[in-house]
Amino acid sequence: GRPAFVARAPGPMTVSSCQAYVERTSKHKKCIPPDLSFENVIQNKAMPPCSRQDFMVAIPAAALEYLVYVSHDAENLQFWLWYEDYSRRFFAASKSEQALSPPWYKAEVPRPHSNDSNQSGATVFERGNPVTTGGVAIQEFRFDHIHRPSSPNLSHLDTQSLASTTSTTLYHAESVEDTDMQMGIKCKSFTIQPFRSEINRVISHYLNPGSSRELNLSSKDRAAVLHALQYTTHPSALTLVKDIIETSLRCQSHPNFIRWAICNGNKPRVLFVRNSGIAHIVAAVILGLLLILSRASRWWRFFVFPLFFVGFDIGVAAYKGLCVIIHTNHRRALRPWEQFSEDVSLTSFDGSPEEEANLSTDDVFSMASRSRNGVSLNTFGTSNSYSHELWVERYKQKYLFQKIFTKSIWVQEQAVRLLQDKIVKQSHAWALIISALLTALVVALPRASII
């Protein structure tokens, strides 16, 4: 079946909330097949609707589809991808440049006074065993309560868009002193350190309160990381944020994304199918009562079985987000933001005519989404709001009938098709058992001969 839904913890992301995510998902690991693992999705090895294009819509423009339109926390993935790329670039720099930004060795980070009464939001760093990264021995911070999964190999990711937005020669961000004043921290900044201007911009986009892509961190953890970044641009200064974000992505966003991707119907269609199932069950009950009250032979009562079966079959499947009708061809309904992509031309496609002719429907929608959406995978930019996009107003203007019977496209990922097949087979089995029992009960009841 589908992975269990992992509810978001109230308040900011902390070590304790991430630990709850780990404990919750550890019980349902088998629900996600290896082909749909976090690494495969991020490395773009999965096919639609579970590809990186669907987790983040389109590459390289990469509007983060699920995280933007459904879970509304796209900044987590944007920051995490930047950190992975930043770490690679930092340790690729010369030893003399790295020496200017030593690892962050603090056993416990001094924090400024804060009015936040949530003491559980604070996180204490402890020394770990020295590890070697990129040829430089660093001291790794360790969470006492969270198991850090190993990071996937991102060497072949398309980081061109990331690199293009993180060149230190192009940044003219606010100074660290401005950030210090905002957080109540007064400390001399080390402006000669490598990537200092890039770190300044990360602070202004992700760490400052009220920033365009502010991460949902506790004030104490935020102050601790900002304090560390004043002294060094070494990636270890961001380990706390990186670990919290990665755990949230792996153990909360990823399972919920797979659960969402398994659904082949949009919300109006699923509600319509669910209500149709209820209607079939009600019709079976009414027919059974009429036959019991009539003088007709009891064998006529077997006609309630197909109504019961159809009702429970499509009802159980719809409860798990599946429409049995379009599943017969392994298709899924277009999502609201995909339904207005067909009017976008392929004039920007720079491939050969043969390659254009071989484009799948999903490729066309991905290219259209790339040119339509304003939210991007670029590390720095505006907020991830989508209220300004044209499809929002146009979708509201569609009739309910059009929303229910919208166009559908083929599900390419085999692992998703297998999960959907499993859910449908389970719904068949439950429908058969329940319908047989209810039909036997209707047939066994004595005839009333009232009508």
Side-chain angles (χ1 to χ4, degrees):
R2 294 190 299 170
F5 178 75
V6 183
R8 184 178 302 171
M13 292 184 295
T14 62
V15 173
S16 58
S17 64
C18 288
Q19 174 64 21
Y21 295 154
V22 172
E23 293 175 353
R24 178 72 183 273
T25 55
S26 63
K27 303 175 183 177
H28 304 279
K29 286 184 178 180
K30 295 182 179 179
C31 294
I32 300 178
D35 291 342
L36 301 179
S37 65
F38 179 78
E39 286 78 9
N40 281 356
V41 172
I42 291 298
Q43 296 176 23
N44 212 24
K45 293 181 179 179
M47 298 292 288
C50 288
S51 66
R52 190 161 54 130
Q53 283 92 335
D54 294 278
F55 201 48
M56 306 179 293
V57 171
I59 303 298
L64 300 96
E65 179 176 315
Y66 170 77
L67 297 176
V68 171
Y69 298 131
V70 182
S71 63
H72 309 127
D73 53 2
E75 62 278 355
N76 291 343
L77 186 57
Q78 289 165 330
F79 175 86
W80 185 79
L81 289 175
W82 167 83
Y83 180 89
E84 295 292 324
D85 178 69
Y86 176 75
S87 297
R88 177 184 58 80
R89 289 184 288 112
F90 182 91
F91 292 115
S94 63
K95 294 294 191 293
S96 59
E97 288 184 308
Q98 294 183 36
L100 296 174
S101 292
W104 185 242
Y105 284 112
K106 283 287 188 178
E108 182 173 359
V109 180
R111 301 182 181 88
H113 175 71
S114 173
N115 294 326
D116 187 358
S117 59
N118 181 14
Q119 299 298 326
S120 63
T123 303
V124 176
F125 291 129
E126 292 188 2
R127 286 180 178 270
N129 296 325
V131 296
T132 300
T133 307
V136 180
I138 68 171
Q139 195 80 14
E140 185 185 41
F141 296 132
R142 182 178 71 247
F143 285 117
D144 286 338
H145 305 292
I146 291 185
H147 168 69
R148 282 186 63 193
S150 58
S151 298
N153 180 12
L154 301 176
S155 59
H156 64 285
L157 280 181
D158 179 13
T159 55
Q160 181 178 0
S161 60
L162 288 172
S164 65
T165 59
T166 54
S167 173
T168 57
T169 61
L170 298 178
Y171 293 154
H172 303 283
E174 298 89 353
S175 66
V176 178
E177 286 82 2
D178 295 336
T179 304
D180 298 344
M181 295 299 294
Q182 294 180 23
M183 295 304 298
I185 305 173
K186 296 182 179 180
C187 184
K188 181 180 178 181
S189 302
F190 299 88
T191 56
I192 63 172
Q193 292 174 335
F195 305 104
R196 170 53 65 182
S197 57
E198 180 175 348
I199 290 296
N200 292 350
R201 207 169 185 196
V202 168
I203 291 174
S204 65
H205 274 75
Y206 294 95
L207 298 177
N208 277 348
S211 54
S212 58
R213 298 179 181 179
E214 180 185 357
L215 298 175
N216 187 23
L217 303 172
S218 69
S219 61
K220 294 182 181 294
D221 288 342
R222 188 190 310 274
V225 173
L226 287 173
H227 181 78
L229 290 175
Q230 293 177 84
Y231 291 95
T232 181
T233 58
H234 196 281
S236 59
L238 287 161
T239 301
L240 168 63
V241 180
K242 184 259 184 182
D243 282 339
I244 291 178
I245 294 299
E246 181 173 347
T247 304
S248 176
L249 285 171
R250 286 178 176 272
C251 301
Q252 200 259 344
S253 299
H254 176 247
N256 290 346
F257 167 67
I258 299 300
R259 177 185 174 90
W260 171 80
I262 292 174
C263 302
N264 66 353
N266 55 28
K267 193 171 183 179
R269 189 183 189 100
V270 171
L271 290 176
F272 172 78
V273 173
R274 189 180 301 178
N275 291 333
S276 298
I278 296 175
H280 278 78
I281 295 173
V282 172
V285 172
I286 294 175
L287 177 60
L289 289 175
L290 291 176
L291 291 174
I292 291 173
L293 296 176
S294 68
R295 295 182 175 83
S297 171
R298 70 173 61 223
W299 303 114
W300 287 100
R301 303 177 195 177
F302 277 105
F303 282 99
V304 301
F305 177 82
L307 290 175
F308 275 132
F309 180 81
V310 172
F312 283 109
D313 187 27
I314 64 178
V316 172
Y319 176 76
K320 296 189 176 182
L322 286 178
C323 174
V324 178
I325 299 174
I326 61 176
H327 171 74
T328 55
N329 294 321
H330 287 115
R331 301 179 69 84
R332 67 170 180 86
L334 290 178
R335 271 110 196 190
W337 49 89
E338 296 173 322
Q339 294 178 20
F340 304 97
S341 301
E342 56 193 23
D343 55 352
V344 180
S345 67
L346 297 177
T347 54
S348 60
F349 181 68
D350 55 2
S352 64
E354 292 78 10
E355 293 175 331
E356 181 175 342
N358 292 329
L359 286 175
S360 66
T361 306
D362 283 284
D363 294 330
V364 175
F365 281 112
S366 295
M367 293 178 62
S369 299
R370 182 185 311 170
S371 62
R372 183 188 74 250
N373 298 324
V375 184
S376 82
L377 184 62
N378 291 339
T379 302
F380 307 113
T382 59
S383 65
N384 295 315
S385 172
Y386 59 88
S387 57
H388 63 283
E389 295 184 15
L390 296 177
W391 69 265
V392 177
E393 190 61 31
R394 293 178 64 182
Y395 185 75
K396 291 180 180 178
Q397 296 174 357
K398 294 187 70 173
Y399 295 109
L400 179 61
F401 180 84
Q402 294 175 314
K403 294 179 180 179
I404 295 174
F405 299 100
T406 186
K407 293 183 179 179
S408 61
I409 56 177
W410 184 57
V411 178
Q412 298 183 31
E413 175 55 53
Q414 183 180 8
V416 174
R417 297 200 302 269
L418 292 176
L419 287 175
Q420 291 175 341
D421 290 340
K422 182 179 179 181
I423 293 174
V424 171
K425 289 178 181 177
Q426 290 175 348
S427 68
H428 290 341
W430 280 110
L432 181 62
I433 294 172
I434 297 175
S435 301
L437 293 175
L438 291 177
T439 302
L441 176 64
V442 171
V443 173
L445 290 175
R447 183 170 54 188
S449 300
I450 298 176
I451 56 176

